[in-house]
Amino acid sequence: MSSFVKRGVEVVQLDLTKPIEDQGPLDVIIHKLTDVILEADQNDSQSLELVQRFQEYIDAHPETIILDPLPAIRTLLDRSKSYELIRQIEAYMQDERICSPPFMELTSACGEDTLQLIEKNGLAFPFICKTRVAHGTNSHEMAIIFNQEGLKAVHPPCVIQSFINHNAVLYKVFVVGESYTVVKRPSLKNFSAGISDRESIFFNSHNVSKPESSSVLTAAEVCLVPRASMTVSPSGFPYRAPLDKIEGVFERPNDDVIREISKALQQALGVSLFGIDIIINNQTGQHAVIDINAFPGYEGVSEFFTDLLNHIAAVLQGQAPEVTQLNRSKLLAEQTSGIMDERICCASTGCLSVMGKDSSWIVESETNSSVKLQHQRLGCNSAVSPSFQQHCVATLATKASSQ
């Protein structure tokens, strides 16, 4: 935290079990209350009390900037809601370079009409099954489902998402205000499209996409192969032969696309600290957002503390109007555990900052399973109109009220 001290910023660790009023005054609060929010939503009495105390302070001090708003955090903690938000963003942008996979939520055990619902929502085998809650140990437990038989092992509530072949490469975008860093990680290898006789694959995403991960699920052969021809399985269903090799489009994400998506999420939710998981469709070259993370670990982002400090300075100086305005509205009532001050307070230990650099993509290491791409600035050239935030908020509110 020496960089904060050098900039004249006082950092205070907040104790939410005590009155926040006695720990102020506070200019900025940075929090990571994801666990507390989830427990509060499950009616845990202690967590409910902590969130309520935090909310009361926010309501009483609209001048305090909150990074990030609690309603936004709740949206990102729910995969169904965050995927719906991405769908709305893509529909609004109408950018052909972006096409995220179809998804749907399963709320009950699979029955006779499940396949019809899957087809109606535009999904096709294989697809990935994930927990609806996008945080915690269980959120990393996933499954790849290849056929109707595999649906029997699905335990709702959960979210299913069409699997897109992406040549076993995941790009993790770590956003801090106006800056972001892209880190290349290993990911799932390619699988043939359509129904197959494969048994469902259950895995933990940490064992697949962490920098040190080594898994047979990521071990794709690097060579071009023709498309597998259709054949017939012993059960009579048409399917494609296994396709584990890298094929088709193999390229890095486009910087302009990342900027568009990041700025759209910031405007829709008012968030500053978040991560985006992006893959590149190896058939079309399109960018697909497969997950969004609230206040990620920023693993591999060496400039995090610098970027965070720069963002705090910009917010305090009024250079990030979309964030300060959102944080002072009733929509942003709920935040998690950190505070930074001019006086800044942190209720979390993971607070970092980074300076932005305007330069082209650079791969620092092609041999490391976690490759960092050049650090970037989001800039102010977003194609999203001022009405976009209102559009997304209204859409989500309407959808939530109908559930």
Side-chain angles (χ1 to χ4, degrees):
M1 295 293 178
S2 61
S3 57
F4 290 87
V5 176
K6 292 178 181 178
R7 295 276 289 268
V9 175
E10 180 184 3
V11 180
V12 179
Q13 176 95 22
L14 285 183
D15 185 348
L16 296 184
T17 64
K18 299 178 181 179
I20 302 177
E21 288 283 358
D22 298 342
Q23 303 175 63
L26 309 171
D27 295 302
V28 181
I29 296 179
I30 303 171
H31 70 85
K32 187 168 184 176
L33 296 173
T34 43
D35 288 329
V36 176
I37 291 173
L38 288 175
E39 291 168 357
D41 289 346
Q42 296 170 3
N43 294 319
D44 177 82
S45 58
Q46 184 177 4
S47 297
L48 280 168
E49 183 179 352
L50 293 177
V51 172
Q52 182 179 357
R53 179 180 294 123
F54 192 69
Q55 185 63 60
E56 289 173 351
Y57 181 85
I58 295 172
D59 293 340
H61 295 275
E63 75 282 359
T64 300
I65 298 168
I66 308 298
L67 303 177
D68 280 321
L70 293 187
I73 298 300
R74 282 200 167 97
T75 295
L76 296 183
L77 289 177
D78 186 321
R79 281 195 171 106
S80 184
K81 291 181 179 179
S82 65
Y83 292 174
E84 178 61 28
L85 176 60
I86 285 295
R87 181 179 349 203
Q88 294 296 329
I89 286 174
E90 292 183 3
Y92 191 90
M93 285 183 168
Q94 296 185 339
D95 189 329
E96 294 182 354
R97 297 172 298 177
I98 309 171
C99 186
S100 295
F103 77 97
M104 67 173 286
E105 182 184 358
L106 294 178
T107 57
S108 58
C110 297
E112 295 180 358
D113 61 340
T114 302
L115 278 181
Q116 294 179 344
L117 289 173
I118 290 174
E119 293 177 2
K120 183 179 179 180
N121 282 275
L123 282 88
F125 291 104
F127 51 75
I128 291 192
C129 180
K130 307 177 183 180
T131 60
R132 177 166 180 168
V133 177
H135 180 74
T137 304
N138 291 337
S139 68
H140 301 291
E141 298 297 334
M142 303 181 184
I144 308 174
I145 310 297
F146 296 94
N147 49 55
Q148 186 174 0
E149 184 69 19
L151 287 172
K152 296 178 181 179
V154 172
H155 300 291
C158 60
V159 177
I160 58 175
Q161 184 184 59
S162 286
F163 181 82
I164 294 177
N165 281 333
H166 52 284
N167 289 331
V169 177
L170 169 69
Y171 295 96
K172 297 191 76 71
V173 180
F174 295 107
V175 181
V176 182
E178 289 292 303
S179 301
Y180 68 87
T181 302
V182 182
V183 176
K184 181 180 176 182
R185 295 273 182 86
S187 185
L188 295 169
K189 62 185 179 182
N190 297 335
F191 293 101
S192 300
I195 295 175
S196 77
D197 279 347
R198 282 182 183 262
E199 292 187 2
S200 298
I201 299 174
F202 297 86
F203 66 98
N204 186 299
S205 60
H206 268 180
N207 297 332
V208 172
S209 294
K210 280 291 186 180
E212 68 280 1
S213 298
S214 178
S215 169
V216 294
L217 293 177
T218 67
E221 296 180 28
V222 183
C223 60
L224 297 178
V225 296
R227 293 181 180 277
S229 58
M230 291 294 291
T231 182
V232 178
S233 69
S235 61
F237 290 104
Y239 75 107
R240 291 188 183 277
L243 176 63
D244 297 339
K245 299 179 180 180
I246 289 176
E247 65 167 9
V249 179
F250 191 77
E251 59 186 36
R252 301 185 184 96
N254 181 282
D255 190 42
D256 289 338
V257 172
I258 291 178
R259 285 189 176 120
E260 281 189 26
I261 295 172
S262 300
K263 294 294 288 184
L265 284 169
Q266 287 182 333
Q267 293 188 25
L269 294 173
V271 290
S272 301
L273 305 170
F274 60 98
I276 313 170
D277 289 354
I278 293 178
I279 58 175
I280 304 297
N281 187 318
N282 75 341
Q283 299 300 309
T284 66
Q286 292 173 304
H287 300 63
V289 176
I290 58 172
D291 258 319
I292 314 170
N293 307 298
F295 207 145
Y298 291 95
E299 189 173 7
V301 184
S302 58
E303 306 94 341
F304 174 54
F305 278 120
T306 304
D307 280 343
L308 181 58
L309 183 53
N310 290 338
H311 178 60
I312 291 167
V315 168
L316 290 172
Q317 293 168 11
Q319 296 175 5
E322 75 281 358
V323 176
T324 55
Q325 180 182 3
L326 284 172
N327 277 333
R328 294 175 183 180
S329 73
K330 287 296 182 182
L331 289 175
L332 309 184
E334 315 165 354
Q335 308 303 330
T336 28
S337 58
I339 298 179
M340 301 213 95
D341 224 25
E342 229 179 17
R343 197 166 184 237
I344 295 172
C345 298
C346 286
S348 165
T349 57
C351 300
L352 308 169
S353 307
V354 182
M355 295 292 290
K357 301 174 185 176
D358 293 311
S359 47
S360 58
W361 291 105
I362 297 176
V363 177
E364 295 184 347
S365 169
E366 289 291 356
T367 58
N368 194 333
S369 60
S370 177
V371 178
K372 178 182 172 184
L373 304 182
Q374 188 63 35
H375 179 248
Q376 299 284 327
R377 298 279 294 174
L378 291 178
C380 300
N381 57 343
S382 173
V384 182
S385 74
S387 65
F388 179 70
Q389 176 198 332
Q390 182 178 359
H391 165 80
C392 286
V393 170
T395 301
L396 288 176
T398 301
K399 185 175 182 62
S401 64
S402 65
Q403 293 180 347

